[in-house]
Every structure is written in C-alpha cells, then in structure tokens.
Amino acid sequence: MKTAEGSLGTLRKKEFGCMSDEYGEDSIQVLEGLEAVRKRPGMYLGDPHDGSALHHCIWEVVDNAVDEHLAGYNPTVEVDLNADGSVSVTDHGRGIPVGIHAEEGVSAAQVIMTKLHAGGKFDNESYKVAGGLHGVGVSAVNAVSEWLHLEVHREGKVWEQRYELGVPKAKLKSTGKSDTTSTKVSFKPDLTIFSEVVEFDFQQINTRLQRTAFLNAGLQIILRDFRSDDSVEIDHTYDGGLSEYVTLMNAKKNKIHDEVVHVIGSKSGDKGEVHVEIALQWTDSYSENIDCFTNIIHNVDGGTHLSGLRSSLTRTVNSYAQSRKLLKNLNSLSGDDVREGLSAVVSIKHPDPSFNAQTKAKLVTSEVAGIVEQIVNDKLGEYFEENPSIARSIVDKAVLASKAREAARKARDLTRRKGVLEGGGLPGQLADCQSRDPNECELYIVEGESAGGSAKTARDRRTQAVLPLRGKILNVERQRRNIAKVFTNEQIQRMIRALGAGVGNEEGDEGAFDPEKLRYGKIIIMCDADIDGAHIRTLILTFMWRFMRRAIDNGNVYIAMPPLFSVGRGNHVEWVHSEEELDATIKRFKKEAPSAKISIQRYKGLGEMNPEQLWETTMDPEVRRMMRVDIKDVEAADKLFTVLMGEDVPERREFIETHATEVTSLDI
Ligand code: 28F
C-alpha cells in the first residue's frame, strides 16, 4: 500500500511549484495540506469506509458547479460515472480563471485545485454552497484522487492540467481553441484511501442531484452512468423548484388542496440580505414532513428556519380560522394539529449562517427565526385571503386533527381508568413467569391458541411468560380516526395489560407508555415462518410503533425466529432457518456420511412442533435465534407502516411482495 509520505516525496515537491527547481513556502504548505487530507480523510471528507467520504468527493465538485449557477452563469451541470471508476463533472459557467495568481505565482485554477479551503471566501456577492462536510473545497478531493484532470474552456482556449494524488504533473497549459466557456473536473478516487464501500452508488447520487435540482429552479443537472453495458441518463430540470419538490414528496398521498403554496421573500439581517423560500402542501396523512436547507445544505435537524416556520403556521392558520369563525367550540388549534399531514420544504440563503456542528445538521443563526416567521406571516396570510377555499381546506383538516387528538385522549383515559378499576388485572390468557425482575423476564407474544399452548408447556416458567393472541390482531393504522376502537380491542387490551407499562407515545401524558414500568425486559413476538405469520408480526409491530414506541426505541422488542426445516441423518438432527442454510447443511451431511439417508422436514407453523421441539429451536435462550427490532430511521419506519398497513391496498400488496424480506429482517 502506498503511504501518504511515500507518494508526496521530495522529487515531486520540485515539480510542484511548476517554477523549475524552485519552490516557496506556499508550495510546501500546500503539500502539507494535501498530505493531511490523505492521512486523515475522515476529518475532511467524512467516513472513508462507509462510502460517505467517497460520495462527498462528488458533492464537493458538484457544489462548485452549483455555485457558478448561483452566481448567475451556469445553466447546466453534467455528472458522468465513467466505466473506469472515475467521475466527470462539467459545468457551463465562466470557467475557472486561468490567469496567474499574483501571490501564489501559479494559475488561479491550480490554487483552487491544491489549496485547502481555497474557493471559500472569494467574493461575497453570491451565496456559496459550502455544501461539503467542512466546505473543504475541491483540493481535498484532489488529494485523495489517484488522478484528477481539469479542463477549462475560457478566453477562446482549452486549458488542461493533470494531477496525481493532488500534485500537478505539469502547469496548466492551453491545448486548443474553444468558443465556449466551461469547467470539467474528472477524478478517480485513490482506492488505497477508501475501503468497504468503494463504488459510487447510483441511487444515492441520483437522489442527491435531484434534490440539488429542486433547490435550484431552472438548473439542469444531467446524470449519466457508463459503468454497465446499458448506460443510463437522467435529466433533472425543475422550473418549479421547491413546488415540484413538494409535489414529489406528496406523489403517493391524498392532497387536501391541489396547488402547492409557494412563499418567497427576503429581509435584511445583520450580515446582509436573507432570502426565504418555502413550499407547502397538506395531505390527509398523520405525520409532518418538513425538509430544511441553508444555502442548499440540508439541515437534517432543522433549526431556526424550521422554528420560525412552525410558529408562523400556528399563528397564521389560527388567526385565519378565528377571523372566519371556523373553530366553532374549539379554543385554538395546536401546532401539532396545524402541521398534521403537512409536507414542506424550507430553503433559506444567508450570507453567514452558523450551525450547531460541523455536520451542519441544525441552523442556529437566531435572527433567521424572526425573519422566516415575519415573511410567512405576511405572505401566507395574504395567500389565505386570496385563496379562501384552500385556506378553508387547511383549517378543516387541522380541526379534524384536533378533534381526533381529543377523542384519542378521552379513549385512552377511559381505557386506563378501566384498567385501574379492574384492579389492573393481568389478562386471563397470560401464563406469567415466577420472577418479578424485569431484567430477566421475557414475554412471548404468540399467535394462535395451539402454538400458545405448546409455548406454555415448553417455556422456562421462572423467567418466561406466554401470552397467546387469537387470530389476526386489529390493524391500528386503519383506525387513526377511531382510536377508541383500538383501546377497546380485546387482543390489544391483553397486550397492554400483560406488559403493565401503559399505552400511548405522548411523553409526559399520564398513563402514557413508560418502559420503566415494563414487566418484561424482552417482548418476543413469535409467529409462524410464513406469509400469514409475517402479516401478524407486522400488525403487532405497527401497534407497538404507534402506541408503545419507547419499547422499540429502548430495544425491548424482539422477533423469535423459528426454524424452517429440520435435517436429520440417523439420530442426528439439525435445525435450519433458510433455504441457503438448508443447502449447505445437506452438502455437509453428504460429505460427512455419503451413504447415510438424509431426511428433511419442513416446518410451516409453530403448531407443527411439539413443546420439546419448540423449546429446543425457538425458546431456549442458549440456542434460540432472535432479531432485535431496531428502527433507526423514524421517517422511513413511519412511511413503511403507513404504506404497509394503510388504506392503499394495491400499494400494500406490491410493498409486501417486494419488501417482505426487508420487513422481516427489519433493516429500516
Ligand atoms: C466541475 C466543477 O468548479 N466550476 C467553477 C468557476 C468560475 C469562477 C471561479 C469557479 C474567483 C476569484 C477565484 C470565473 N470567472 N466546476 C467548477 N467555475 N471559480 S469553479 O472563480 C473562483 C474565484 O478567484 C469564476 C469569474 N469569476 C469567477
């Protein structure tokens, strides 16, 4: 493996300044900078192992091309994933300046390509996409590239320069005539620096470029993939910008109003003009989905622009509703009511934004909250006045949300009170364990009375409890407007009472689910290893996600994995969990005992196993296999449950068919 030291040896230092055998302080500093990037790529580009640094290289170059668009010169960016593993990014802007940089004594282009942080603070006229993790600039990409080729069309000529590991092979030279202007940067990542994920991921790149195109209305971004025989080309051009972004977000949802509301405004802040652009559309879904950006950088955790928008929405919708007397016997709508079903994108441009951390996850510039709030108050208020029927639909939706929330609260209280009146009794179907220490107690939730019976016989009575459920449990996703039905459902009551930790995700709400009170440290869902079993498992998980989410967050929820087959050879029996494992086991048996007879038995249901087998295969903590339900991406999970369990049956079928394994392996 090449080392950073080795690749930037003294010999190369001589070539570096491109001034024959002389090199100055600056060149040495540049070399040290590039070396620092190669030594600690993670500090500059993100994780070099999981693909984030690798893809960050593309973002860094694309961001420069987008900056040229923001400056008003560049209508098109092309991104080519080449067959040799390199990437080419071309923009049709002014071309990187080729003249000699007065201080550095080399071309301005070379300064940009080699000096860390160069390119950041060149001029204050336009908003730079400091999109990279640290806005390190293209020089960091150059440093981790086996080679990088620069081609500039400018001043009537073609200019070219090649670098290897960040070091120029020669100075920037004119190689021909040209009557256009453009910048093309091609680079091949040095794979000694990146590991594990070393291939560009088309989906990831496409999604990111599409988002960039949405955020820059009118900018054409073309992505081409030449890495396989049938090459792909996608053109992202969105004249509607954020409105089209929201239209896509809501593509599969039922819209409350047809037109996307588009708010644009600007106000002067402490450091200069702050531009605000927001697109909004309400749907009949239950969640809120707001994406936030500052200078085209995604702020995953929102920040002051988001809070400004939220305050204004609550205020504007309430004041419109009140002035038109649309609230009837309601006092006011809460922020949650107003935002239920909202899809929105907020994009602000600020001359000098601050973020909570270098990942730029959250905007903290405080003046932005007031600026966004003011602009939305004015513009959305105006929009409501001019579009009363849209305003009316939005208010009606919020009123509905408010009523449903109130009804849910009442139903929940009633259920909780009832539970207490009945002495908080455990359900009759529960076979409880002897231990009262939740750390060692497990509850098996089992589908079907007969499997439940086997589990009761099979279990370790000291620590394992068994709760059988009868048939399919209620699909809570279909009862979002009729929560009383959820709480009065017998199977669901069984679960709530057996677990003894309350119900409801509203933190701080009396009687809400509290993992501290959970009677069992492990809740193990045990269903048949077939489609029906998978369906029932998803129904139980959907209930837990919507009403006991903290059990999932805390890692209390598990899925039992009964085997699919037993493979026998004489007295020797092994249990296997997949077709692949089955093939491997048969092969091994044949090799070990070529003449012996091998018997295979398929287990479709838990009910086909006797209690001993059930213990041996699925319940014995020494040998059983389980999966812990681990839902990291809350938004994805939310979508998953909405799609999987919601009203849209055709979509659900398609989803189950294409994602059944994903759902059972739960990598959401
Ligand atoms: C594929 C990546 O990097 N495009 C770029 C320009 C254009 C200018 C520029 C870039 C300004 C003062 C240096 C041209 N003419 N695509 C790109 N296009 N950088 S990067 O200038 C950089 C600084 O010193 C440019 C006039 N002004 C700016």
Side-chain angles (χ1 to χ4, degrees):
M1 204 173 105
K2 281 180 273 183
T3 64
E5 289 92 317
S7 57
L8 292 169
T10 14
L11 262 177
R12 287 228 177 85
K13 280 187 185 169
K14 290 211 168 144
E15 300 160 21
F16 191 80
C18 302
M19 293 187 292
S20 63
D21 53 6
E22 194 190 320
Y23 57 93
E25 276 298 301
D26 279 344
S27 314
I28 292 171
Q29 267 174 21
V30 165
L31 281 170
E32 282 169 354
L34 296 179
E35 204 164 316
V37 180
R38 293 181 58 82
K39 265 192 183 149
R40 289 194 188 78
M43 285 204 17
Y44 298 85
L45 292 157
D47 195 328
H49 309 296
D50 69 359
S52 51
L54 184 74
H55 290 84
H56 190 193
C57 290
I58 302 187
W59 318 147
E60 204 64 58
V61 179
V62 168
D63 284 351
N64 287 342
V66 172
D67 279 343
E68 194 54 7
H69 171 77
L70 288 173
Y73 296 94
N74 169 35
T76 301
V77 177
E78 296 160 70
V79 178
D80 293 345
L81 306 177
N82 302 317
D84 65 355
S86 69
V87 186
S88 302
V89 182
T90 309
D91 75 54
H92 299 267
R94 291 166 293 180
I96 300 190
V98 293
I100 298 295
H101 191 280
E103 280 164 45
E104 313 284 343
V106 296
S107 67
Q110 183 175 324
V111 175
I112 291 172
M113 301 314 292
T114 55
K115 246 193 145 166
L116 273 186
H117 297 283
K121 298 250 186 294
F122 279 109
D123 59 292
N124 293 322
E125 277 149 46
S126 58
Y127 301 92
K128 294 279 176 190
V129 186
L133 192 56
H134 308 168
V136 283
V138 66
S139 57
V141 179
N142 200 359
V144 298
S145 293
E146 193 184 307
W147 56 260
L148 181 147
H149 189 89
L150 174 67
E151 180 182 323
V152 178
H153 291 229
R154 198 181 152 99
E155 295 165 15
K157 291 181 179 154
V158 183
W159 305 82
E160 288 182 81
Q161 188 173 29
R162 185 181 159 92
Y163 300 81
E164 284 174 14
L165 308 177
V167 179
K169 296 307 287 175
K171 62 181 167 191
L172 183 75
K173 280 192 198 110
S174 166
T175 55
K177 285 186 190 165
S178 172
D179 53 11
T180 61
T181 59
S182 63
T183 301
K184 179 176 184 178
V185 172
S186 307
F187 64 94
K188 182 162 196 292
D190 176 2
L191 294 187
T192 64
I193 288 186
F194 305 94
S195 67
E196 288 167 61
V197 179
V198 292
E199 247 180 64
F200 290 117
D201 174 358
F202 182 85
Q203 267 322 322
Q204 193 184 334
I205 296 166
N206 188 42
T207 307
R208 167 90 176 215
L209 294 181
Q210 181 182 45
R211 206 178 69 192
T212 306
F214 280 132
L215 289 161
N216 294 279
L219 172 63
Q220 179 182 41
I221 302 182
I222 299 170
L223 171 61
R224 298 189 199 93
D225 190 347
F226 296 110
R227 293 173 301 173
S228 65
D229 288 341
D230 25 42
S231 61
V232 185
E233 172 166 334
I234 298 189
D235 183 338
H236 294 293
T237 314
Y238 305 105
D239 291 327
L242 298 192
S243 290
E244 285 193 64
Y245 193 164
V246 170
T247 301
L248 178 80
M249 281 164 98
N250 288 345
K252 298 207 161 165
K253 297 183 177 171
N254 299 318
K255 275 73 79 177
I256 294 289
H257 51 103
D258 293 336
E259 189 178 281
V260 177
V261 185
H262 206 139
V263 169
I264 300 181
S266 62
K267 264 189 143 35
S268 60
D270 296 338
K271 297 273 168 60
E273 203 66 0
V274 181
H275 296 275
V276 177
E277 190 179 347
I278 300 172
L280 310 147
Q281 190 179 41
W282 276 263
T283 71
D284 71 351
S285 89
Y286 305 100
S287 49
E288 126 189 29
N289 195 359
I290 308 183
D291 278 350
C292 304
F293 300 86
T294 305
N295 299 352
I296 320 294
I297 307 155
H298 191 200
N299 310 123
V300 188
D301 297 330
T304 48
H305 39 10
L306 177 60
S307 44
L309 171 65
R310 283 180 168 173
S311 323
S312 172
L313 285 174
T314 310
R315 195 189 128 122
T316 311
V317 175
N318 266 296
S319 85
Y320 183 85
Q322 259 143 9
S323 73
R324 303 289 155 115
K325 308 232 177 325
L326 300 174
L327 291 187
K328 301 189 181 94
N329 50 0
L330 276 175
N331 263 338
S332 64
L333 299 160
S334 72
D336 285 337
D337 298 334
V338 167
R339 295 191 306 272
E340 194 183 279
L342 172 67
S343 298
V345 183
V346 188
S347 168
I348 71 141
K349 304 249 171 64
H350 191 283
D352 186 25
S354 321
F355 302 94
N356 66 328
Q358 288 189 307
T359 52
K360 305 195 170 159
K362 192 170 180 180
L363 177 70
V364 297
T365 310
S366 55
E367 65 174 13
V368 172
I371 292 176
V372 171
E373 191 173 347
Q374 265 279 287
I375 291 175
V376 180
N377 282 348
D378 295 351
K379 301 275 160 103
L380 190 62
E382 222 170 87
Y383 184 88
F384 283 174
E385 293 301 328
E386 286 163 12
N387 299 276
S389 71
I390 294 180
R392 177 75 198 243
S393 326
I394 294 167
V395 171
D396 286 352
K397 156 81 181 171
V399 168
L400 203 64
S402 173
K403 284 186 181 153
R405 215 177 299 280
E406 181 57 22
R409 200 182 56 73
K410 280 194 184 136
R412 215 161 42 232
D413 284 355
L414 201 69
T415 315
R416 286 168 189 156
R417 260 200 309 280
K418 240 170 112 191
V420 176
L421 288 177
E422 289 165 6
L426 295 170
Q429 301 79 3
L430 174 74
D432 207 1
C433 54
Q434 289 151 357
S435 169
R436 286 287 166 266
D437 175 6
N439 291 320
E440 60 172 0
C441 292
E442 305 175 345
L443 177 67
Y444 274 85
I445 298 179
V446 188
E447 163 211 355
E449 305 284 352
S450 82
S454 290
K456 283 180 186 177
T457 313
R459 72 198 170 120
D460 171 355
R461 285 162 183 269
R462 206 179 67 74
T463 58
Q464 296 181 320
V466 172
L467 178 70
L469 296 183
R470 188 160 27 90
K472 296 215 166 168
I473 78 154
L474 183 73
N475 180 353
V476 300
E477 204 63 30
R478 300 260 186 101
Q479 308 297 338
R480 298 291 291 269
R481 289 279 179 232
N482 186 9
I483 302 220
K485 207 162 162 189
V486 173
F487 294 115
T488 51
N489 178 269
E490 202 204 312
Q491 311 296 312
I492 284 177
Q493 279 196 2
R494 272 189 204 178
M495 284 193 277
I496 298 171
R497 285 161 64 200
L499 294 171
V503 64
N505 288 340
E506 305 74 7
E507 240 166 302
D509 188 352
E510 201 193 331
F513 183 81
D514 178 2
E516 295 283 307
K517 295 195 191 133
L518 206 49
R519 302 179 62 243
Y520 311 93
K522 291 193 177 81
I523 306 165
I524 304 165
I525 303 169
M526 185 158 74
C527 297
D528 286 344
D530 60 7
I531 289 285
D532 281 344
H535 190 215
I536 289 162
R537 180 167 58 231
T538 318
L539 288 167
I540 298 173
L541 275 175
T542 308
F543 164 70
M544 298 208 140
W545 179 249
R546 295 291 178 209
F547 295 96
M548 298 183 166
R549 182 174 306 181
R550 263 164 293 164
I552 294 179
D553 294 341
N554 270 17
N556 297 115
V557 182
Y558 294 79
I559 306 234
M561 291 178 68
L564 281 181
F565 302 96
S566 71
V567 194
R569 188 195 57 205
N571 292 333
H572 179 75
V573 177
E574 286 186 24
W575 303 92
V576 301
H577 291 77
S578 67
E579 306 268 352
E580 295 85 67
E581 225 180 292
L582 176 66
D583 291 344
T585 309
I586 294 172
K587 250 191 212 137
R588 177 161 49 79
F589 276 16
K590 278 190 177 147
K591 210 160 125 198
E592 286 165 6
S595 60
K597 196 166 167 285
I598 296 172
S599 64
I600 300 159
Q601 157 111 32
R602 189 187 179 100
Y603 290 89
K604 283 209 209 77
L606 297 164
E608 290 175 43
M609 280 184 246
N610 63 37
E612 291 73 38
Q613 289 171 324
L614 192 58
W615 166 258
E616 206 179 290
T617 60
T618 318
M619 294 181 76
D620 178 359
E622 299 287 316
V623 296
R624 71 182 173 196
R625 284 205 212 172
M626 307 199 293
M627 288 192 286
R628 191 202 289 258
V629 179
D630 177 15
I631 297 183
K632 286 194 205 75
D633 186 342
V634 174
E635 206 178 291
D638 231 75
K639 261 190 206 132
L640 183 103
F641 287 121
T642 315
V643 171
L644 204 54
M645 310 316 287
E647 307 282 349
D648 193 343
V649 178
E651 183 166 13
R652 183 169 83 242
R653 177 155 312 140
E654 182 194 335
F655 194 96
I656 291 178
E657 274 163 14
T658 51
H659 295 270
T661 50
E662 264 175 58
V663 177
T664 52
S665 69
L666 293 155
D667 27 335
I668 4 189

